[in-house]
Amino acid sequence: MKKIDITTNINGIRLYSCIMNASGALCSTEKELSNLLKSSSGAIVTKSCTDKPRKGNIKPRYFEWDIGSINSMGLPNLGIDFYINFLDGITTNKPIFLSISGLSLEENYLLIQKANSSTKINAIEINLSCPNILKKKEILGYEFDTVYNFLKNVFRLNNKKHIGIKLPPYFNDNDIRNMAFIINKFPISFITCINSLPNGLFINSIKESTVIYPNKGFGGIGGTIIKSFALANIFKFSSFLRKDISIIGCGGISSGIDIFDHILCGASAVQVGTQFIKEGISVFDRLKNELILFLKKKKYYSINNFIGNLNKN
Ligand code: DHB
């Protein structure tokens, strides 16, 4: 029996499994990151960090139901110095992605410079889609001119790491075409799409109230119900992006077949958020087994055989 190869390559970064965590899901503390290091995930991405530590919003700030999740966390994180110190002290053969989400463009430049001084970080995932910062409601990824100027400044820095961006979901063709046009002008290694769908509301019908407290109950939606939006964004971006830019799929993965679908639409690796929080660290073993079983059935022996091969009817 031929061995099934689920290793992958994000613009030269080798992953022994194409399945990793999504930023924000159980990747904020030393304990959580240590658990991820021991797991079968193919890479690790950290919680989006800021320069200074943040406590985040009041609780309850995360809620999940059968087919989705809602959050308004408010960027709780231990600050970039913690993440760099922790990561520089570990030994691992897993690629490490540092997610950053500065509260201003200037803060992002500082975070990138700090990340460049680390020995262990392989890549920086710049979060252009954080929806939950009070007072600063705009999502950077929806401000096209600002993104262009921001990236110009980012690539003027003396970068030593792969740079990727995490994008919000887009809902029409033109937005994806325009964003891809901007991205194609820069030596970006990968994009991660999609972040949560912003400004959702989930309510408790019995209590007649919202289920999370911050932001009047509004929050980013993740989980099974966003999978179709993730697939649409991955598939569209893969047709407009330069071929050397890898796509990491994120959104609605809870089975091996979900992973297959993301890859078929153009993802080279996938991130798991809501389902990881629901199920815990064993999710990586289960998903890996399910993916391998499905590939056997389909007679695919490597994910490279079908990345982006969705039939266009
Ligand atoms: C938070 C939520 C996000 O969707 C994100 O991309 C970054 C941070 C948060 O509220 O902590």
Side-chain angles (χ1 to χ4, degrees):
M1 190 65 184
K2 242 170 138 180
K3 195 169 164 358
I4 311 265
D5 179 14
I6 61 159
T7 66
T8 193
N9 183 332
I10 305 292
N11 217 307
I13 308 172
R14 298 279 325 153
L15 278 67
Y16 287 100
S17 158
C18 60
I19 311 165
M20 63 186 285
N21 68 297
S23 179
L26 306 177
C27 55
S28 301
T29 63
E30 186 163 339
K31 179 91 200 296
E32 289 169 344
L33 292 166
S34 303
N35 273 343
L36 276 166
L37 277 169
K38 287 181 273 178
S39 77
S40 60
S41 76
I44 295 181
V45 59
T46 60
K47 166 72 183 169
S48 293
C49 67
T50 46
D51 190 38
K52 296 281 170 291
R54 289 171 57 88
K55 286 196 166 32
N57 292 337
I58 53 162
K59 295 178 182 172
R61 57 194 183 182
Y62 177 84
F63 180 88
E64 66 196 21
W65 65 101
D66 50 352
I67 53 169
S69 67
I70 183 166
N71 85 81
S72 181
M73 305 298 288
L75 268 178
N77 77 92
L78 298 172
I80 190 168
D81 297 344
F82 163 80
Y83 295 101
I84 291 180
N85 283 336
F86 173 77
L87 296 170
D88 281 352
I90 60 174
T91 321
T92 180
N93 54 8
K94 287 189 198 198
I96 305 290
F97 293 65
L98 182 82
S99 170
I100 62 162
S101 189
L103 302 175
S104 65
L105 299 184
E106 286 67 32
E107 185 172 335
N108 274 327
Y109 306 137
L110 174 71
L111 295 171
I112 293 167
Q113 276 162 328
K114 283 193 173 185
N116 270 320
S117 71
S118 148
T119 51
K120 291 284 162 57
I121 292 164
N122 300 88
I124 305 171
E125 186 182 82
I126 306 175
N127 190 348
L128 295 186
S129 44
C130 177
N132 296 326
I133 297 307
L134 289 170
K135 296 194 282 286
K136 279 215 128 216
K137 284 257 164 58
E138 332 77 63
I139 291 175
L140 191 52
Y142 291 147
E143 311 286 327
F144 290 72
D145 292 345
T146 312
V147 169
Y148 177 67
N149 288 317
F150 171 66
L151 291 176
K152 261 205 309 206
N153 289 332
V154 166
F155 287 100
R156 279 187 190 130
L157 302 171
N158 180 19
N159 293 312
K160 298 182 175 67
K161 310 292 178 189
H162 286 272
I163 297 220
I165 55 180
K166 172 111 171 240
L167 294 168
Y170 298 98
F171 301 98
N172 60 63
D173 223 51
N174 260 346
D175 282 350
I176 297 186
R177 202 187 291 268
N178 290 337
M179 185 48 70
F181 185 77
I182 293 171
I183 293 169
N184 283 340
K185 292 189 182 307
F186 298 98
I188 284 182
S189 295
F190 65 93
I191 66 164
T192 303
C193 57
I194 57 176
N195 204 322
S196 51
L197 266 72
N199 281 312
L201 188 60
F202 193 80
I203 60 174
N204 180 324
S205 320
I206 307 298
K207 290 193 188 157
E208 303 183 12
S209 65
T210 64
V211 293
I212 56 170
Y213 277 3
N215 271 326
K216 299 194 162 70
F218 287 78
I221 306 293
T224 303
I225 52 174
I226 75 164
K227 180 181 157 187
S228 292
F229 298 99
L231 295 183
N233 276 256
I234 294 163
F235 190 49
K236 281 277 174 204
F237 267 114
S238 67
S239 74
F240 294 133
L241 283 181
R242 257 187 5 244
K243 291 303 159 227
D244 64 292
I245 300 177
S246 302
I247 300 178
I248 304 180
C250 183
I253 289 178
S254 64
S255 73
I257 294 181
D258 294 329
I259 298 173
F260 180 84
D261 293 349
H262 273 240
I263 296 171
L264 196 65
C265 287
S268 298
V270 298
Q271 296 181 344
V272 187
T274 298
Q275 190 61 30
F276 173 32
I277 297 172
K278 257 188 195 172
E279 191 172 331
I281 203 78
S282 61
V283 75
F284 297 107
D285 281 338
R286 179 180 66 79
L287 290 176
K288 190 172 166 179
N289 291 337
E290 286 182 12
L291 176 62
I292 289 174
L293 208 63
F294 190 64
L295 296 188
K296 268 187 195 160
K297 269 196 204 141
K298 304 271 298 181
K299 297 202 162 45
Y300 280 123
Y301 294 98
S302 162
I303 67 166
N304 292 318
N305 298 147
F306 64 94
I307 295 176
N309 275 3
L310 181 69
N311 288 315
K312 300 163 196 84
N313 286 313

